[in-house]
Amino acid sequence: MASASVGEEEHNNNNKLILYSYWRSSCSFRLRIALNVKGLEYEYKAVNLLKGEQSHPEFLQLNPIGFVPVLVDGPAVIFDSFAIIMYLEDKYPQHPLLPTDIHKRAINFQAASIVSSSIQPLHNLNLLKYIEEKVGPDEKLPWVQSVIRKGFTALEKLLKEHSGRYATGDEIFMADIFLAPQLHSAYKRFNIPMNEFPILSKLHETYYEIPAFREAWPENQPDAVGELSQ
């Protein structure tokens, strides 16, 4: 991981957007999609979570809580994927990630909240390590699957009257940005039978057709190469 200070990064990159990311982090994944959908170029800075780089002093200067992603935009340093996406929405209005209709906006916020509050944090790296140490390695997958199934059941009900080509109609909005990484990890990493969730399964297939989403897939990130070859 680069050890340059924020000020040095700004000088070296002429205020180009800098994303501190880990290839397998779904929070980083959703932010990569948002940047791609808005057509924003950025420099990718890999933070290896397995090697503990998120706890290095230079990274903690960027994010004191030690999580990815972090976005540096000139003098602005923003962490937490939800906060970063709202920042991008305010500063870079091209391709809005929130609809103008107030009810549809609320559906997008609800879908994003289910993913970011009720699913993803309950199977992040720290929690799974804790379960492995305190309960046993065989309990990790059943725990993750139960958490995802509960969240996906709620999302199916939430989106039933609102989905179209995408989660809340025929345009890409915030709900899609949060759903795509969660669906990807459910299918690729945690063996969730997607036929149990027809709406989410259809969305999962649709996201694979969109270049802005495909380019953000974990497997396509520069720091994935070494780990995938091991």
Side-chain angles (χ1 to χ4, degrees):
M1 187 185 68
S3 60
S5 69
V6 177
E8 288 172 332
E9 293 286 10
E10 291 169 24
H11 177 74
N12 293 339
N13 295 280
N14 297 317
N15 293 340
K16 183 178 182 179
L17 291 172
I18 302 168
L19 175 65
Y20 289 82
S21 174
Y22 176 62
W23 69 283
R24 223 172 184 179
S25 159
S26 62
C27 295
S28 299
F29 187 172
R30 66 179 70 132
L31 186 53
R32 295 193 299 262
I33 296 173
L35 289 163
N36 291 346
V37 167
K38 283 187 171 290
L40 297 171
E41 294 185 2
Y42 61 92
E43 180 178 355
Y44 188 104
K45 294 282 189 181
V47 181
N48 192 318
L49 303 188
L50 297 183
K51 293 181 178 179
E53 291 181 349
Q54 70 275 22
S55 299
H56 288 185
E58 63 268 23
F59 184 76
L60 292 175
Q61 288 181 0
L62 298 171
N63 183 1
I65 203 168
F67 292 155
V68 291
V70 175
L71 185 78
V72 178
D73 183 11
V77 180
I78 310 103
F79 53 87
D80 182 87
S81 61
F82 213 128
I84 297 171
I85 288 171
M86 295 305 298
Y87 171 84
L88 294 175
E89 185 72 351
D90 288 338
K91 184 168 182 180
Y92 301 99
Q94 63 266 35
H95 196 111
L97 299 178
L98 286 169
T100 55
D101 178 80
I102 190 170
H103 184 220
K104 190 177 285 189
R105 285 169 74 94
I107 300 299
N108 274 269
F109 282 129
Q110 288 177 82
S113 181
I114 289 172
V115 172
S116 64
S117 299
S118 301
I119 304 178
Q120 184 272 326
L122 298 181
H123 66 73
N124 68 15
L125 181 62
N126 289 338
L127 182 56
L128 293 184
K129 287 171 102 174
Y130 184 86
I131 291 173
E132 182 175 10
E133 292 171 2
K134 299 297 183 181
V135 185
D138 293 340
E139 296 303 317
K140 289 195 301 183
L141 184 59
W143 166 260
V144 172
Q145 290 176 333
S146 68
V147 165
I148 293 176
R149 278 197 169 98
K150 182 177 180 180
F152 280 9
T153 299
L155 286 164
E156 282 280 318
K157 292 178 180 177
L158 176 68
L159 300 177
K160 185 176 181 181
E161 305 299 328
H162 305 283
S163 65
R165 174 166 170 75
Y166 302 108
T168 58
D170 294 326
E171 295 181 72
I172 295 169
F173 287 125
M174 180 182 282
D176 303 293
I177 303 298
F178 280 75
L179 281 169
Q182 188 63 64
L183 293 171
H184 184 274
S185 65
Y187 179 79
K188 287 273 190 178
R189 296 177 61 190
F190 301 123
N191 303 318
I192 301 295
M194 293 306 296
N195 58 357
E196 297 178 17
F197 308 102
I199 295 172
L200 298 180
S201 180
K202 179 179 70 70
L203 292 172
H204 180 59
E205 293 175 3
T206 299
Y207 297 147
Y208 268 90
E209 301 171 5
I210 312 302
F213 285 66
R214 285 201 309 271
E215 291 167 8
W217 291 156
E219 305 92 300
N220 294 332
Q221 305 317 301
D223 52 331
V225 178
E227 290 196 31
L228 284 172
S229 65
Q230 293 176 5

